Amino acid sequence: MTTKLTNAQIAWRAAQDLPDAAYVNLGIGFPEMVAKFKPKGREVTYHTENGILDFGEAPPAGEEDWDLINAGKKAVTLNPGASFFHHADSFAMVRGGHLDVAVLGAYQVAESGDLANWSTGPGSVPAVGGAMDLVHGAKQVWVITDHVTKKGEPKLVESCTLPLTGVGCVTRVYTSLAVVDVVDKRFVVREKLASISLDDLQAVTGAKLAVGDTIGELNVPEI
Amino acid sequence: MTTKLTNAQIAWRAAQDLPDAAYVNLGIGFPEMVAKFKPKGREVTYHTENGILDFGEAPPAGEEDWDLINAGKKAVTLNPGASFFHHADSFAMVRGGHLDVAVLGAYQVAESGDLANWSTGPGSVPAVGGAMDLVHGAKQVWVITDHVTKKGEPKLVESCTLPLTGVGCVTRVYTSLAVVDVVDKRFVVREKLASISLDDLQAVTGAKLAVGDTIGELNVPEI
Amino acid sequence: MNKIYPTLENALDAVDDGMSVMIGGFGGAGAPIETIHALVERYKRTGSPGRLTVINNNAGNGAVGIAAMIYAGMVARMVCSFPRSSDPKAFTDKYLAGEIELELVPQGTLAERIRAGGAGIPAFYTPSSFGTQIAEGKPVAEFEGRPYVQERWLKADVALIKADLADRKGNLTYRKAARNFSPLMAMAAKTTIVQASRVVEPGGIDPEHVVTPGIFVDRIVEVANPQQEEALLREGAK
Amino acid sequence: MNKIYPTLENALDAVDDGMSVMIGGFGGAGAPIETIHALVERYKRTGSPGRLTVINNNAGNGAVGIAAMIYAGMVARMVCSFPRSSDPKAFTDKYLAGEIELELVPQGTLAERIRAGGAGIPAFYTPSSFGTQIAEGKPVAEFEGRPYVQERWLKADVALIKADLADRKGNLTYRKAARNFSPLMAMAAKTTIVQASRVVEPGGIDPEHVVTPGIFVDRIVEVANPQQEEALLREGAK
């Protein structure tokens, strides 16, 4: 029985909720994996903040065009109907509410929807990129993350202790154990693995978990 | 002896000061005439706020393309090297200080450089167009105008009585009698017709005229 | 994803009473005449959509386009920079009779407010209109010793746009100076409805030449050989 | 009007000590490598221009481009959104040693501030960074019940840009996603210096396809077959 989803499985689960015809921005790194698991038959248009709409998969090794990259500086290809635009137009799409979904990673998510994902505090070089813009504007802001840190500390918390990326911005969290919505400043469990009790889930969560009408089973294929 | 310049002559005089390689916006109506008298050998690029840079003369009658018009809704042509852009980019050029010269008409100009050229007051339909943007941003704002109104009242005044287009924006005025700069909130006469004395010029001017080092003769060909 | 609608009537069912409607075009260049006239026809037939706020640089010319909307009685309020034209009778009569409201906005401020609406910028500062009637009641602030007026974003329920090429994903190009306000309005409206002179396959527009990316467009109707407002006026259209 | 300069050295004589320099590019896409390296060569030869403020999305990668400027010691301050890269040693070492200043700006805010600088908008409001460290000390205002942060325009003395096509009047196109910040920076700098892969006659770029109109460009140098930063890095360039 699955006791914890892999990153690929978390990405798969989030991908199942991508609406047809959606405009989606996938954050650098782990969130990029969501594209791989988009359900067949749904048409999703990907936006990258460096100025491309409707880019496609990575080209074969050796065929990269380094003027055709995504925000993670990885080489991409174009789908028919793609477009290029400058950075101000790109963030007009973001800030102006034109994206349906933004998917981001997280260090911490608070029950208020606050997100911390850009700085682990003093001592390192701070780098924020487009995250502070992406959390405002997209109609839904999803976080995909392990349920706890590598040290086993909760990532879903009452309030973030790390520097914030945005206030009250996260709408849904896909973790290695559960799918949790942020509703009226509370975490509401929508799905959890069958292998974990609600009490055990609560024990590894840093804020009170509420329950909606039902809790679905978090079912993910082997990947 | 010339006692008063015609509109064409005023436009001619202003045109002599167009710098080579300048970007210039000519207001709707009378200011458009300035283009006709651009000295040969100088390359001037005309901007129209509806989104064209480097447009040329009117096409022959019958060959108009009504998708290719200037701000006065007159048909124009393109010079090689022209470009189209949307209205926000067009006014970025205006407001952002990228134009060298804007030439406008006036109801009144005050010695402070205030301009009134958009509304004759209540009772008519107000219409401002791009004038309030053009007076801010262009490096030089020139007014071309008869020295007095049709009723013989001064158009160069201590302070405007008509609704303002902009505050402290006019840098130079070309009138039917003189060329006058606005310097430190004073009118400074640079040129006047030989046929009019400074006293007589002062008599038809609504604010005190200052004099710089010299007053040149306002010499304009028969047109 | 297919944003192509079979008829203007279908596409225009998003327009309802009391809505704010941005209409592309500067003078006749870019005016979506067939779209506007389809809306006027619907109003004459059904009495809806009425009480509209129309946002355009001008306020109609002659008896076609926006002037036809005004004559039909659909327009309660105009937001524009220049409500004059070679034949401004439609607007002028109603305005002087107090039957239509006018919000006069300097042209550059109008463009920037619409862009701000599309770009998620609720307010910005501009030097334009400082010290004039237009600035009365608006916040003023000084930056680096110069005074500026605070202006607010402008959004709309619907934008009606005329494009040259379009694909089913919503990518658009415009013909010459018919571009003007349209790319901004497409960004600032909840529903952007486009009449395109030609619909091409995705990829039929070079990605470097797309002017309005598809994300800003909701509905497209192909209207081949569209009418041109200025040409219509010169032909004496009523 | 001829904005073509014979060499990068000629064109770059506008760059002086202590200036603010916007540099186009996002990662390697759009980085004007030959231009940057000509400036580095001049600095190594003459000790000038030094104490520069560099504005770019990133803060250099490996040992070429902006990283080469940092290694050379020309850069006093970086304004960027993401000073990390696959090999950020040049910046990281100097930053942690306190030898280079950093102003960290969210990417969308950076783009909008540069556009505002070019468009004559001294300040605007954005939701980005509200409630975060980045917003500390900045004015906050509420519009329609939502809080926003006031951000200021960003201008520069010089912009260094890589274009694809250019004509002598300054019109530019860009290759694919090499566009990114460059059209904005061209607007926001006093002097915009462009390396273009190909110079064409005026009219050689379709007026509907011009991305940066010539009014925003001051100096152009043709650099055929330009280097690509990312490709250089992958070849192990030092």
Side-chain angles (χ1 to χ4, degrees), chain B residues 20 29 46 67 79 81 85 99 104 110 116-117 126-127 135 142 162 166 183 200 207:
Chain B
D20 188 36
Y46 295 106
D67 286 345
N79 294 325
F85 33 83
L99 294 176
L104 296 160
N117 82 343
V135 297
W142 297 349
L162 290 169
V183 183
D200 287 348

Side-chain angles (χ1 to χ4, degrees), chain C residues 105-167:
Chain C
V105 183
Q107 197 172 134
T109 298
L110 182 62
E112 191 66 15
R113 287 180 62 195
I114 297 170
R115 180 191 176 273
I121 304 289
F124 60 90
Y125 288 91
T126 173
S128 303
S129 92
F130 174 77
T132 75
Q133 287 178 4
I134 299 282
E136 279 170 19
K138 294 175 186 167
V140 164
E142 204 167 281
F143 297 98
E144 292 157 38
R146 231 185 122 181
Y148 294 87
V149 178
Q150 188 191 95
E151 293 281 357
R152 297 295 313 280
W153 60 13
L154 187 60
K155 304 191 196 190
D157 295 305
V158 176
L160 307 179
I161 299 294
K162 181 186 190 175
D164 188 20
L165 304 184
D167 66 29

Side-chain angles (χ1 to χ4, degrees), chain A residues 20-23 43-45 47 53-54 78-86 88-89 91-100, chain C residues 1-3 115 117-121 167-169 171 186-189 202-203 205-208 210-211 213-217:
Chain A
D20 188 36
Y23 291 96
E43 189 171 1
V44 170
T45 305
H47 167 268
L53 198 64
D54 218 350
L78 295 182
N79 295 324
S83 55
F84 295 110
F85 33 84
H86 62 51
D89 281 350
F91 280 90
M93 294 177 191
V94 172
R95 209 191 296 104
H98 304 284
L99 294 176
D100 295 292
Chain C
M1 188 187 301
N2 186 2
K3 298 180 176 180
R115 180 191 176 273
I121 304 289
D167 66 29
R168 67 170 172 82
K169 292 180 170 181
N171 295 299
M187 295 166 68
I205 306 172
D206 183 327
E208 291 183 12
V210 170
V211 178
I215 194 170
F216 296 129
V217 171

Side-chain angles (χ1 to χ4, degrees), chain B residues 23 43 54 80-81 84 95 98, chain D residues 1 3 118-119 169 171 187 203 207:
Chain B
Y23 291 96
E43 189 172 2
D54 218 350
F84 295 111
R95 210 191 295 106
H98 304 284
Chain D
M1 186 186 302
K3 298 180 176 180
K169 292 181 170 181
N171 296 300
M187 296 167 67

